[in-house]
Amino acid sequence: MPRYMSLIRVDENNAPEGGPSPELMQRMGVLLEEMTKAGVMLDTGGLLPTAEGTRVRWEGGKISVTDGPFTETKEVIGGYALLQCKDRAEAVEWTTRFLKVHEDHWTVTVELREIVAG
């Protein structure tokens, strides 16, 4: 079965103060448990804010290292999920369910990409 990387993008500047609500975390836990039992969820995790990150770039034959925060970036990867689904439609269905557990004041975009087999 194909595997998909779900890159969860959030706007760090407009994320709710204090992060996710307890109710959101409860709904998320229920969904993640269902996905795990269905054999779809292989791994998932959240990422610390960009203020605690580092970018390492290769350009023109040289390495540059930049510590966060990355002020020029509006939307950042806030988390990920590694899914194993029968096809893209199933991966989109699970991703849609993931997005719908969020309250209306959240703005979340998920980039869903199939992992190259091999």
Side-chain angles (χ1 to χ4, degrees):
M1 280 203 298
R3 293 178 301 154
Y4 295 87
M5 177 60 74
S6 171
L7 302 170
I8 302 157
R9 297 181 181 275
V10 296
D11 181 347
E12 275 189 328
N13 299 319
N14 291 319
E17 182 99 9
S21 68
E23 296 80 15
L24 170 57
M25 294 306 294
Q26 191 274 332
R27 290 190 305 273
M28 186 72 63
V30 169
L31 177 62
L32 294 178
E33 183 177 334
E34 182 181 350
M35 294 174 77
T36 300
K37 286 180 179 177
V40 171
M41 180 63 68
L42 300 178
D43 191 25
T44 189
L47 301 175
L48 292 174
T50 60
E52 299 181 47
T54 302
R55 284 188 180 160
V56 181
R57 181 179 174 97
W58 173 257
E59 182 179 16
K62 295 182 181 176
I63 291 282
S64 63
V65 178
T66 307
D67 290 330
F70 312 116
T71 55
E72 73 281 0
T73 303
K74 180 180 177 186
E75 198 175 63
V76 300
I77 298 172
Y80 71 94
L82 181 59
L83 310 176
Q84 183 169 286
C85 301
K86 65 182 180 217
D87 55 26
R88 181 177 303 273
E90 183 184 18
V92 169
E93 180 182 329
W94 283 110
T95 300
T96 299
R97 289 186 61 193
F98 165 79
L99 288 170
K100 286 183 175 181
V101 301
H102 291 79
E103 293 98 353
D104 291 344
H105 59 267
W106 281 88
T107 300
V108 183
T109 303
V110 175
E111 182 177 337
L112 190 61
R113 298 181 57 188
E114 187 170 347
I115 297 172
V116 177

